Amino acid sequence: MEQNCVQILARSLEKKSQALSKIIEQNTLQETILKQEEFDMDAFEASVDAQNKLVEELEQLDTGFEALYERVREDMMVNKDRYHQEIASMKELIQQITDKVVTVNAGNMRNKRLAENQFKKVRENIRNGISKSKVARGYYNSMNNLNHVPPQFYDSKK
C-alpha cells in the first residue's frame, strides 16, 4: 500500500512539472503578444485564462500531494532504505519544479512590465483619440458658425 502511495507522489510531482512547463509556454506566448506592435487583447486574455486554469491545476496537485505525503511521511522516514530510489527521484523532480517556478516567476515579472507598457500605450491612444475628437468637434462647430452672419442693422435700443 505504502509503495503505491510513494509512486502516486512521484506521479503527482511529474504532473506538476508538466503543468509548470505549460505555464512557461503560456508565459512565452504572452511575452510574444505583448511585444507585438499591434496589441491583440483577445489573444492575451485567452492566454491568461489558460494560464489561470493551469495554476488551479497546480493548486489541486499541491493539495493532493501534501495530503498524501502526510499519510506516508512517517513510513518513508522509517524505511528510507526501501524507498531510496523513489526518494532520490522525487528530490530530482522537486529540484526541476523549483527551477521551473523560478522561471515562471521571472517570466511573470517580465510580462507584467510589458503589459504595463502596452496598457500605457493603449491609454495614450485612447487619450489621443479623445483629444482628436474634441478638436474635430471644435472645428466642425466653428465651421458651422462661419456661415452664420448676425444681422448688421439690428436696432437694439427698443
Side-chain angles (χ1 to χ4, degrees):
M1 173 67 181
E2 299 300 324
Q3 185 71 24
N4 289 337
C5 289
V6 173
Q7 290 172 349
I8 291 171
L9 287 174
R11 275 190 268 148
S12 175
L13 289 172
E14 290 170 359
K15 287 180 182 180
K16 185 173 180 178
S17 179
Q18 291 170 357
L20 284 167
S21 294
K22 290 176 185 177
I23 288 174
I24 291 170
E25 290 173 11
Q26 289 299 321
N27 270 349
T28 305
L29 176 63
Q30 290 170 15
E31 183 176 1
T32 303
I33 292 168
L34 290 168
K35 285 185 175 179
Q36 293 175 349
E37 189 65 33
E38 191 67 31
F39 181 61
D40 186 0
M41 185 63 162
D42 293 332
F44 181 73
E45 189 174 335
S47 179
V48 169
D49 289 343
Q51 188 174 8
N52 287 339
K53 288 178 184 175
L54 290 167
V55 168
E56 288 174 10
E57 180 183 333
L58 275 177
E59 289 174 356
Q60 290 175 349
L61 286 169
D62 276 344
T63 303
F65 180 87
E66 289 173 10
L68 186 57
Y69 180 72
E70 286 301 316
R71 288 181 47 202
V72 297
R73 179 174 55 116
E74 190 174 320
D75 185 47
M76 286 177 66
M77 296 298 166
V78 171
N79 299 314
K80 285 184 182 181
D81 294 337
R82 184 175 6 151
Y83 299 116
H84 178 70
Q85 186 177 357
E86 289 86 356
I87 291 172
S89 173
M90 285 192 285
K91 281 183 180 180
E92 185 178 320
L93 283 169
I94 289 171
Q95 181 60 45
Q96 290 174 5
I97 288 169
T98 303
D99 293 343
K100 288 180 182 183
V101 167
V102 169
T103 303
V104 167
N105 288 336
N108 283 341
M109 293 302 293
R110 188 172 42 252
N111 287 347
K112 180 182 176 188
R113 284 193 307 271
L114 290 171
E116 287 171 351
N117 290 337
Q118 276 292 355
F119 296 147
K120 183 179 176 182
K121 284 182 195 176
V122 169
R123 280 192 302 271
E124 287 174 3
N125 288 341
I126 290 171
R127 212 174 285 131
N128 288 339
I130 290 172
S131 66
K132 288 178 183 178
S133 173
K134 285 181 181 178
V135 169
R137 188 174 39 247
Y139 176 77
Y140 175 77
N141 289 338
S142 66
M143 287 295 117
N144 276 344
N145 290 334
L146 186 64
N147 293 331
H148 177 68
V149 178
Q152 300 297 318
F153 299 106
Y154 181 69
D155 189 11
S156 61
K157 293 184 179 180
K158 277 192 177 181

